[in-house]
Amino acid sequence: MSQASPTFKSRRRPATTDVARRGLPPTSVPTTRPITRYGFSYWTMRPAPPARGSYPPLRGSHACDVVVVGGGLAGCLVAHELARTGTRVVLLERDRVGNGGTAGDLGIVQPTPGVRFVDLREARGLRAARSIWDASRRAALEWMAFARRTRLRCALEAVDFLEFATTTDAAAQLEREYAALKDAGFDASWLPGRRVRQVTGAEGEATMKLTGAGVFDPYRACLGVARLAAKAGAMLCEQSEVTRVAVRRHDVEVVTPKATVAAATVLFASRLPTAGLRALERHFWTEERYVVALPEMTPSERRRLGPTGTVVADLAVPPHAWRWTADGALLFTGAAQRPVPSRQQAQTLVQRTGQLMYELSLHYPQVSGTPAASSWSGRVTTAGDGLPIVGSHRAFPRHLFALGLGAAGVSGAWLAARMLARRLAGSSDRRDELFAFGR
């Protein structure tokens, strides 16, 4: 007997489609779901917008120790870690701090590097795989401790991380991963089919549980870290796109449309390198991932879908992941594909929104027929092996990089910030080489 589908009522005032506000053609958006806001991240739509710092464009000529290029969470963390040690830092963001990939993120603190342990062990060996996983887990815990210590208002909550198999083949793959982690000494729990519904609210074959995960508001976290960096002495500049980087005998000159900065080092903490560094793109792989946010639900409505204190990731191809927000909205991501041309983005977003809502209903039939409150997409870039690349490249003197952080998320951003701070202080750890170019 099929289960009756409850009606989930949004706590927001219904709104018409807002694609046109992003410059996308309104004719490409259907009018059958008027409350869905296409192209708007859940984090930037919340009713009480966070206070932003005032970061004017950089003008004139300046000198500093390090120029950080990129004002997402990774760039702001790097700027803060350096500034608090007395390093003179200038951070340059081409748009507005936090408005790029950070605002489109799902907001998961992931206790893994985003690459399966069995794959790492096969490619890099047991010792390296264990070190990479251990570094990623410690980075997740350290980031959450940092957020609490500095009192970031980002709705941080510690949760369990569940990997979820819905087929027999996926369960066998997940069991191999579980056995490999246990053999390597990592804490993981195996939950057979009869326990899956209890912990996920959905039907499945098996689940592996990892501790040390969390959920948070990535946009507010980024703005909070930016304020901390500015308070520590970093100069943050928005609307300051880097157009050229010139390596000179004793320093590097970073050029924007209205300013120049002379520095000992330029550090790129962006999705992909820019400003004459396109040759590095061959090291990376970029996907477009899509996200839907359901209308905010009451506590009783949430309970019908199962436990909320978890992050769930399935083993589908391409995979999905979902989590709850503090306001009672379910965020669901997946449908990853190669980026489409700009003229197709609006139509593709609408198509992928429908696809994701259908795929979500396969896990939770109760949401069938419920339109998304909003949907958006974001580009995720990783290196060929799925790990971040952090450090220097011999072809680019006076440059440092924190690139390809997409799969690792905020854990990778924190790990990169700490590694680069050690590098500039002359105290690198030999394990940092596990994330270097040419590894």
Side-chain angles (χ1 to χ4, degrees):
M1 181 179 295
S2 62
Q3 185 175 0
S5 300
T7 301
F8 298 119
K9 297 181 179 179
S10 172
R11 297 180 186 176
R12 307 181 197 276
R13 184 178 61 186
T16 57
T17 302
D18 291 300
V19 173
R21 288 177 55 188
R22 291 173 60 96
L24 301 176
T27 55
S28 65
V29 181
T31 59
T32 55
R33 293 187 174 185
I35 69 168
T36 301
R37 302 184 70 183
Y38 295 99
F40 283 81
S41 164
Y42 172 84
W43 308 116
T44 59
M45 286 172 53
R46 292 180 61 191
R52 293 189 58 99
S54 177
Y55 310 123
L58 188 67
R59 301 177 187 275
S61 298
H62 301 266
C64 66
D65 298 317
V66 179
V67 174
V68 176
V69 181
L73 190 48
C76 290
L77 280 172
V78 170
H80 174 259
E81 288 299 296
L82 297 179
R84 72 185 185 90
T85 65
T87 303
R88 295 178 302 159
V89 179
V90 173
L91 181 145
L92 303 177
E93 164 56 37
R94 64 181 298 178
D95 185 11
R96 300 198 72 192
V97 167
N99 269 24
T102 295
D105 191 67
L106 205 62
I108 296 174
V109 186
Q110 186 169 292
T112 79
V115 181
R116 305 198 69 76
F117 185 82
V118 292
D119 295 335
L120 273 178
R121 185 181 63 183
E122 180 178 347
R124 306 283 295 274
L126 177 59
R127 178 177 295 181
R130 185 186 283 124
S131 293
I132 291 167
W133 264 70
D134 183 59
S136 299
R137 178 175 175 78
R138 283 189 290 107
L141 296 173
E142 288 173 4
W143 153 252
M144 291 192 286
F146 166 81
R148 295 187 184 102
R149 184 173 66 252
T150 56
R151 299 182 180 180
L152 290 181
R153 296 181 178 179
C154 61
L156 175 66
E157 179 185 358
V159 299
D160 290 328
F161 186 86
L162 305 178
E163 292 204 51
F164 174 56
T166 58
T167 67
T168 302
D169 289 344
Q173 178 185 352
L174 188 59
E175 190 167 12
R176 288 194 295 272
E177 178 77 356
Y178 167 74
L181 287 172
K182 295 296 287 185
D183 288 345
F186 290 103
D187 183 24
S189 302
W190 181 258
L191 305 176
R194 64 180 179 276
R195 293 283 311 281
V196 171
R197 186 171 181 83
Q198 296 176 14
V199 296
T200 67
E203 300 291 343
E205 293 289 328
T207 294
M208 180 177 70
K209 182 173 74 172
L210 302 173
T211 59
V215 292
F216 70 111
D217 180 331
Y219 183 56
R220 281 163 174 74
C222 184
L223 296 184
V225 175
R227 288 193 294 270
L228 291 174
K231 185 176 180 180
M235 177 187 292
L236 277 64
C237 304
E238 298 178 325
Q239 306 295 326
S240 301
E241 181 177 5
V242 174
T243 57
R244 185 170 63 89
V245 176
V247 178
R248 303 186 296 196
R249 184 174 180 180
H250 298 294
D251 62 9
V252 60
E253 183 184 57
V254 180
V255 181
T256 73
K258 298 179 180 180
T260 60
V261 188
T265 305
V266 59
L267 193 159
F268 284 85
S270 52
R271 187 177 66 243
L272 275 177
T274 56
L277 306 177
R278 298 293 185 185
L280 295 179
E281 288 190 7
R282 63 183 178 85
H283 293 281
F284 301 95
W285 174 266
T286 299
E287 288 184 324
E288 194 90 20
R289 293 183 185 174
Y290 297 85
V291 188
V292 293
L294 267 66
E296 293 170 3
M297 305 178 195
T298 66
S300 62
E301 290 170 341
R302 276 176 272 167
R303 284 194 292 271
R304 297 184 189 183
L305 299 185
T308 59
T310 59
V311 170
V312 186
D314 67 17
L315 275 67
V317 181
H320 306 96
W322 58 97
R323 56 152 296 192
W324 291 90
T325 71
D327 295 331
L330 181 62
L331 308 186
F332 184 72
T333 186
Q337 63 177 26
R338 293 289 284 171
V340 300
S342 57
R343 67 180 182 278
Q344 299 176 15
Q345 288 176 0
Q347 180 180 1
T348 302
L349 177 59
V350 175
Q351 293 169 345
R352 294 295 171 263
T353 299
Q355 174 186 335
L356 283 176
M357 291 304 299
Y358 168 73
E359 291 170 348
L360 178 60
S361 72
L362 297 179
H363 292 304
Y364 302 107
Q366 302 95 318
V367 306
S368 180
T370 303
S374 65
S375 67
W376 66 95
S377 67
R379 294 190 176 181
V380 176
T381 301
T382 60
D385 61 1
L387 297 175
I389 292 183
V390 183
S392 60
H393 191 288
R394 64 178 182 270
F396 298 96
R398 304 189 184 279
H399 287 61
L400 288 175
F401 302 96
L403 305 171
L405 304 174
V410 68
S411 302
W414 176 263
L415 183 64
R418 298 295 294 164
M419 289 169 59
L420 292 168
R422 288 196 296 267
R423 173 73 173 255
L424 289 166
S427 58
S428 294
D429 189 304
R430 59 182 178 82
R431 291 174 294 184
D432 294 350
E433 295 301 313
L434 294 169
F435 299 91
F437 280 102
R439 53 189 177 236

